[in-house]
Amino acid sequence: MVGKSLISINDYSKENYMRILELAAEFEKNPKQNLLQGYVIATLFFEPSTRTRLSFESAINRLGGRVIGFAEAGITSATKGESLRDTIKTVSNYCDLIVMRHPLEGSARFASEVSGVPVINAGDGANQHPTQTLLDLYSINKTQGKLDDLNIFLVGDLKYGRTVHSLLMAMSKFKTTFNFISPDELKLPDEYKFYLDNLGLKYYEHKDFTEIISRADIIYMTRVQKERFSDPIEYEKVKNAYVLKNRMLENTKETMKILHPLPRVNEISEDVDENMKAYYFTQTLNGVYTRMAIITSILGLK
Amino acid sequence: MKEQKEQLVVSAIKDGTVIDHIPARLLFNVIDILGLAKIENQITFGTNLESKKLNKKAIIKVSEVFFRKDDLDRIALVAPQVKINIIKDYEVVEKKVVDVPDRIEGIAKCVNPMCITNNQNVQTKFEVISKEPVSLKCQYCEKITDSNNIVILSHK
């Protein structure tokens, strides 16, 4: 992993995942280490993402590193028509590592080809966001004590949800049973089901999850967006089926945890927040440790 | 009579390459893929010729050019049925078929409008994940371009 860019979750093997999880656990125990002293890391956010950017910058700052960069493209030479190629070639002379978010899909892979320093993809359009997936894995492993033999419920927009697809690919390296809960319009694309079929992994599809919720080890919630529906009446009919409420959690496993990539709109009622099973805010803290692990392993410091 | 006409229109070459059995509608794609617009050699072609197999076919004869196998293989992306004849001293000395390569650089356009290759000056690169029918996975945005939506980029 040393010196290598992290662009897609498929760039890492199962062993790589486990190494990152191990390092993240070390950082959780001891988050104040001066490992990045003397390092400059660029955070180039061509599209705003406050949570992801602050999570990276918090990870870098806590380890004593310096950050340069921008939070939106409006203040950069990209608005003067500079190509991504030129921006990356220039910035890679100023820093030891680039963290990049860009609205165009494939931009991060391209940046890694022209950059003189490694690139971490912090989201390229609807394509990949591998550090989110690794922090999801860390959260699952930490709360369940294992990654094998879990029953993972993926709920909401399974058609367009980038985080869901990446998490599925990552968890398919373990002995996972999947339950997909979504309206018809937002069902998981067939290519992912073929992929699981080929691996011999079990999965079930449902339109509603109240009946089966007691089996879940992890419920991974995503937002069902109105814009995704061609028929607004259809949206009105189904929208409440994908909102998690506290009373629905009564018969769930003691150890079950609810994850969400955030931001949440209304798909998890606020009355769930106080439940011990709500894990989405701790999940964001795990993101800082996971990013510490990724950065230091790529820079060869761990 | 028609056979004779064909022979008249697309006359024989002494040395070079004949690309035959091109579906007529793909003639200009094949010209693009091989970059024929840029070369100085004598080129003759005929199109909308009658063909039992293809209904209407095209044929290209390029004098004194012997293409590299991987250049010819790029034709397979759009027209896997073409037949290549290598001509030396008016005789066919070798017959070749084209095979879809494992990787494609340039030539095809990525189907995803949000892909970096469709928005900035970045050459497309694909891994060929299926050859029959052709299916290409973009190295950048990871989206699949399948045989129904392959668009050939013009040679620069």
Side-chain angles (χ1 to χ4, degrees):
Chain A
M1 294 185 273
V2 180
K4 268 186 64 184
S5 294
L6 173 59
I7 305 302
S8 163
I9 194 65
N10 306 320
D11 292 349
Y12 277 7
S13 65
K14 183 173 171 179
E15 289 66 37
N16 293 154
Y17 296 166
M18 299 319 287
R19 176 68 184 142
I20 294 296
L21 267 44
E22 199 180 298
L23 286 177
E26 278 179 33
F27 281 115
E28 179 165 4
K29 282 195 202 107
N30 181 14
K32 288 181 184 158
Q33 304 183 43
N34 242 357
L35 288 166
L36 292 179
Q37 199 175 20
Y39 283 87
V40 174
I41 296 175
T43 54
L44 311 184
F45 279 64
F46 293 89
E47 156 183 275
S49 170
T50 310
R51 185 183 337 274
T52 304
R53 185 173 57 85
L54 293 183
S55 173
F56 269 107
E57 293 185 357
S58 169
I60 297 161
N61 280 302
R62 282 189 192 280
L63 297 180
R66 295 294 186 106
V67 176
I68 57 170
F70 48 83
E72 53 177 316
I75 53 169
T76 71
S77 47
T79 53
K80 297 178 193 162
E82 186 181 50
S83 68
L84 180 62
R85 183 195 310 267
D86 289 4
T87 307
I88 296 297
K89 276 184 179 278
T90 307
V91 173
S92 69
N93 290 325
Y94 301 157
C95 62
D96 303 293
L97 178 74
I98 291 174
V99 175
M100 185 180 103
R101 166 165 301 214
H102 196 287
L104 290 174
E105 297 167 27
S107 54
R109 179 74 64 197
F110 176 67
S112 74
E113 289 177 355
V114 296
S115 171
V117 299
V119 175
I120 296 176
N121 182 7
D124 59 328
N127 186 32
Q128 285 275 340
H129 189 9
T131 63
Q132 174 72 46
T133 310
L134 287 164
L135 82 86
D136 292 340
L137 286 188
Y138 183 71
S139 300
I140 294 170
N141 189 46
K142 188 176 150 190
T143 59
Q144 307 300 317
K146 60 179 182 180
L147 288 168
D148 277 311
D149 304 311
L150 294 175
N151 201 325
I152 308 277
F153 279 45
L154 299 170
V155 185
D157 180 354
L158 308 186
K159 185 172 180 186
Y160 300 100
R162 166 183 73 186
T163 52
V164 164
H165 299 160
S166 295
L167 183 61
L168 180 149
M169 296 301 281
M171 285 305 293
S172 70
K173 292 189 161 67
F174 303 89
K175 285 179 243 155
T176 305
T177 302
F178 294 96
N179 279 278
F180 303 125
I181 299 107
S182 70
D184 273 340
E185 280 84 347
L186 299 176
K187 274 169 73 171
L188 189 76
D190 287 342
E191 61 193 270
Y192 293 100
K193 290 182 229 162
F194 295 143
Y195 184 78
L196 297 178
D197 285 337
N198 281 334
L199 293 171
L201 290 173
K202 280 189 213 144
Y203 62 86
Y204 306 95
E205 292 186 279
H206 317 270
K207 284 189 200 169
D208 185 354
F209 64 144
T210 44
E211 299 286 309
I212 48 164
I213 197 166
S214 61
R215 294 183 218 153
D217 291 305
I218 292 288
I219 297 181
Y220 196 96
M221 295 295 297
T222 64
R223 187 149 53 102
V224 172
Q225 290 168 278
K226 195 174 183 175
E227 310 84 85
R228 301 292 192 198
F229 286 79
S230 47
D231 180 358
I233 297 167
E234 204 52 40
Y235 170 76
E236 292 303 322
K237 272 194 244 164
V238 303
K239 65 176 185 187
N240 289 323
Y242 307 96
V243 175
L244 195 63
K245 299 177 191 76
N246 200 32
R247 59 179 163 71
M248 294 162 71
L249 301 173
E250 276 168 18
N251 295 319
T252 53
K253 289 186 188 175
E254 278 302 305
T255 52
M256 192 277 285
K257 292 288 184 243
I258 303 155
L259 303 186
H260 190 301
L262 302 183
R264 158 182 64 177
V265 180
N266 59 358
E267 57 279 12
I268 304 176
S269 301
E270 285 184 7
D271 67 1
V272 176
D273 294 1
E274 298 309 312
N275 194 309
M276 294 295 286
K277 293 169 184 174
Y279 197 72
Y280 27 93
F281 292 113
T282 315
Q283 191 184 353
T284 61
L285 174 61
N286 291 341
V288 176
Y289 305 134
T290 309
R291 289 175 175 122
M292 286 175 169
I294 295 165
I295 292 167
T296 54
S297 88
I298 290 176
L299 290 174
L301 303 170
K302 275 282 179 182
Chain B
M1 185 64 193
K2 274 165 191 152
E3 284 297 307
Q4 270 180 357
K5 187 110 179 171
E6 181 188 330
Q7 280 165 14
L8 282 175
V9 173
V10 189
S11 57
I13 52 172
K14 182 169 181 279
D15 298 293
T17 308
V18 173
I19 303 137
D20 199 359
H21 294 282
I22 305 167
R25 63 191 169 81
L26 297 173
L27 169 66
F28 291 95
N29 286 142
V30 174
I31 288 173
D32 270 342
I33 290 170
L34 292 176
L36 298 183
K38 289 191 307 191
I39 66 171
E40 302 280 318
N41 300 55
Q42 185 181 311
I43 303 168
T44 48
F45 65 83
T47 188
N48 294 332
L49 309 174
E50 282 202 11
S51 156
K52 281 182 205 119
K53 274 190 204 157
L54 297 168
N55 192 19
K56 283 189 172 178
K57 72 163 187 175
I59 186 166
I60 305 174
K61 300 187 180 187
V62 189
S63 277
E64 277 151 47
V65 176
F66 303 96
F67 295 96
R68 285 173 34 217
K69 170 83 172 124
D70 44 329
D71 281 332
L72 292 170
D73 280 347
R74 307 194 309 177
I75 301 171
L77 261 194
V78 292
Q81 65 279 72
V82 303
K83 300 280 187 297
I84 309 292
N85 291 327
I86 307 299
I87 311 292
K88 295 243 167 100
D89 202 20
Y90 297 106
E91 295 290 327
V92 176
V93 294
E94 195 184 347
K95 286 178 178 284
K96 289 182 184 174
V97 290
V98 292
D99 305 306
V100 180
D102 295 330
R103 284 187 57 78
I104 303 278
E105 298 201 359
I107 310 173
K109 193 174 175 306
C110 177
V111 73
N112 176 9
M114 285 302 286
C115 180
I116 183 88
T117 60
N118 286 318
N119 291 275
Q120 297 205 3
N121 185 21
V122 176
Q123 184 184 243
T124 59
K125 291 181 187 162
F126 299 97
E127 180 194 341
V128 177
I129 55 170
S130 162
K131 296 191 176 185
E132 187 70 57
V134 173
S135 185
L136 308 175
K137 184 177 183 184
C138 176
Q139 174 172 318
Y140 295 106
C141 74
E142 306 183 16
K143 297 287 175 296
I144 310 289
T145 300
D146 61 30
S147 57
N148 297 325
N149 43 41
I150 286 181
V151 173
I152 298 299
L153 295 165
S154 274
H155 234 276
K156 282 169 198 130

